[in-house]
Amino acid sequence: MPFDLEQLRSHFPSLDSGIAHFDGPGGTQTPDVVGLAIASTLTGPLSNRGRNAASEVKADEAVLQFRRAFADFLNMDRRSVVYGRSATQLTYDFSRHLSRQWGPGDEIIVTRLDHDSNIRPWVQAAERQGATVRWVGFDAGTAELNMDELERSLTSRTRLAAVTAASNVLGTMPDIAAIAAKVHDAGALLYVDGVHYAAHHAVDLQALGADFFVCSPYKFLGPHCAVLAAAPSLLESIQPDKLLPSTNIVPERFEFGTLPYEIMAGATAAVDFIASLGSEGSRRERLVTAFESIESHEQTLQDELERALEAMPGVVLHSLAKARTSTMLLTFEDHTAGEVGSFLAGRNILAPAGHFYAIEASRALGLGDDGGLRIGLAPYTSRQDIRRLIDGLAEFLRQ
Ligand SMILES: Cc1ncc(COP(=O)(O)O)c(C=O)c1O
């Protein structure tokens, strides 16, 4: 069932600016209900968590509802849901927790398709512990992850593989369920960066089979924060350093200090907003149908845009994987991506250029540290936005 785009867009005050936003992979625009949830939590009576005064209950409920919302969002138990400031922070934290057990002879796997936040924390932790890092590449011609190389890299010494569920520059979506099966056969853990993936597809973590999965609500209409999910039994097996008086229960023992109740309420509101785009059923069921509508909406616009790009001389589209999100990376034979991005920005069309921290991918594509022009579609992207982008690119190329 398609959603009502005009109705959806009316919830985004920022769209009144007239900017055509193609910068969603860097962070989406935020609906009014998310802002209201943040403001009312923060300015309502609010204390530390407790069950006596209304102000304490409000803080407690913000945390409990956040866990319920993300348990539904990821199809996991609510005790699996760890709050974090960012995916980068969570991955750094877990790289420190997990690498304590590594030593010389142990191996870890990272990919060149990943954002640096799912590479560098593991590489640095491995170096500290004297473990070996194995790199898996991708085919620059097809944008597909090199699965043979991944299989060859897995040995009985592998402790962990860190793989993206979707590249934030190419959109490539490796087959995580197949990778999880191979990683588990080797007796290793799979840590999945779902930051880009979760903005475009309903996440079913049980079906994906990843041991750890991180995502960031600010990429799917929420506030700036992140979530890590892992089975409670796995979380129970990991003991982070913690303050003496702070709780040792899971998942709280991984969340240091006082939680930002207002941000958690905003993230819950984002999950509810997405669910409101779906048809009837439980919140989980509505999230699944909502993402089906989002996928089909973005796919229609992506098809139109890609057809227009193919007809433009001198435009190179790098996002070619069979399974990919609606995010495209472009370069230009006679111009830098930065020049094109600036020209478009002058027309209120925001499609920035760069490597977007996928620095290994940018270098593997032969684009050095300059990267390309990234075009990201979001649930609020309209046909008019697409027409403006196509016209803007055509005008630039005509000059
Ligand atoms: C695929 C991917 N992974 C990780 C990150 C880092 O996320 P955070 O800003 O929450 O650390 C990003 C941010 O752009 C991303 O796109």
Side-chain angles (χ1 to χ4, degrees):
M1 190 190 72
F3 52 76
D4 179 342
L5 184 63
E6 279 320 305
Q7 217 261 339
L8 175 134
R9 286 177 63 95
S10 71
H11 281 285
F12 289 81
S14 69
L15 296 181
D16 293 345
S17 72
I19 298 174
H21 279 280
F22 293 99
D23 59 339
T28 47
Q29 300 305 297
T30 312
D32 45 14
V33 285
V34 170
L36 289 170
I38 295 172
S40 70
T41 304
L42 191 57
T43 57
L46 186 68
S47 303
N48 275 340
R49 291 178 75 179
R51 296 305 298 181
N52 291 327
S55 54
E56 295 175 320
V57 172
K58 190 160 183 131
D60 201 36
E61 283 301 315
V63 177
L64 299 177
Q65 285 177 25
F66 173 87
R67 294 209 205 285
R68 282 189 205 113
F70 281 91
D72 285 348
F73 190 82
L74 301 167
N75 199 23
M76 284 294 271
D77 183 296
R78 64 189 71 150
R79 290 178 62 233
S80 313
V81 176
V82 180
Y83 170 87
R85 194 182 62 72
S86 67
T88 306
Q89 174 251 308
L90 283 167
T91 304
Y92 259 119
D93 278 358
F94 275 79
S95 71
R96 291 187 196 106
H97 307 327
L98 293 168
S99 64
R100 282 194 189 159
Q101 318 293 333
W102 304 347
D106 287 334
E107 296 180 358
I108 62 141
I109 296 175
V110 292
T111 92
R112 296 199 192 278
L113 200 54
D114 272 84
H115 185 286
D116 215 52
S117 78
N118 200 28
I119 298 177
R120 221 54 57 188
W122 304 114
V123 170
Q124 290 163 356
E127 278 168 3
R128 218 170 22 246
Q129 301 297 120
T132 302
V133 179
R134 298 210 175 272
W135 289 84
V136 173
F138 65 94
D139 184 323
T142 62
E144 301 284 2
L145 186 69
N146 192 329
M147 289 293 279
D148 290 343
E149 206 173 357
L150 179 69
E151 268 182 66
R152 280 199 306 275
S153 305
L154 280 164
T155 72
S156 58
R157 293 183 299 275
T158 312
R159 304 300 301 269
L160 178 134
V163 183
T164 187
S167 154
N168 63 315
V169 285
L170 291 167
T172 304
M173 296 192 293
D175 184 346
I176 293 297
I179 293 172
K182 292 182 203 307
V183 170
H184 292 154
D185 277 352
L189 293 168
L190 178 62
Y191 189 101
V192 169
D193 175 350
V195 173
H196 186 61
Y197 180 91
H200 300 281
H201 295 282
V203 180
D204 183 344
L205 195 38
Q206 296 184 41
L208 289 176
D211 299 292
F212 300 93
F213 185 95
V214 272
C215 63
S216 306
Y218 75 96
K219 309 284 193 185
F220 46 89
L221 318 181
H224 291 85
C225 64
V227 176
L228 176 141
S233 55
L234 179 56
L235 292 177
E236 292 284 5
S237 71
I238 305 166
Q239 188 60 64
D241 285 339
K242 60 170 272 307
L243 303 184
L244 193 59
S246 70
T247 178
N248 198 31
I249 63 164
V250 160
E252 272 92 343
R253 72 175 176 219
F254 298 99
E255 298 169 330
F256 307 110
T258 307
L259 286 167
Y261 310 119
E262 64 282 5
I263 297 294
M264 296 175 107
T268 301
V271 171
D272 282 329
F273 181 80
I274 296 173
S276 76
L277 306 175
S279 33
E280 71 243 8
S282 66
R283 178 165 56 190
R284 171 69 197 167
E285 286 162 346
R286 283 181 286 121
L287 283 164
V288 170
T289 51
F291 272 106
E292 281 166 8
S293 302
I294 291 170
E295 278 170 49
S296 122
H297 170 68
E298 292 181 0
Q299 187 66 58
T300 307
L301 298 180
Q302 185 176 7
D303 290 345
E304 179 174 345
L305 179 56
E306 285 183 355
R307 272 196 304 277
L309 292 173
E310 275 164 26
M312 289 184 190
V315 176
V316 183
L317 177 64
H318 297 272
S319 305
L320 300 169
K322 284 204 187 78
R324 60 182 194 271
T325 65
S326 57
T327 294
M328 288 149 270
L329 189 75
L330 306 183
T331 51
F332 302 85
E333 278 167 15
D334 302 321
H335 307 278
T336 67
E339 283 166 355
V340 183
S342 301
F343 178 87
L344 293 172
R347 277 148 189 74
N348 247 2
I349 301 163
L350 191 54
H355 55 63
F356 305 102
Y357 279 48
I359 189 96
E360 298 289 345
S362 181
R363 291 175 184 171
L365 286 166
L367 306 178
D369 294 354
D370 294 336
L373 188 82
R374 182 171 68 176
I375 298 170
L377 308 191
Y380 47 74
T381 307
S382 68
R383 269 203 87 209
Q384 201 200 0
D385 291 337
I386 298 289
R387 290 302 331 160
R388 283 174 62 195
L389 175 63
I390 293 170
D391 292 348
L393 285 170
E395 189 187 341
F396 177 84
L397 293 170
R398 258 198 316 274
Q399 280 187 345

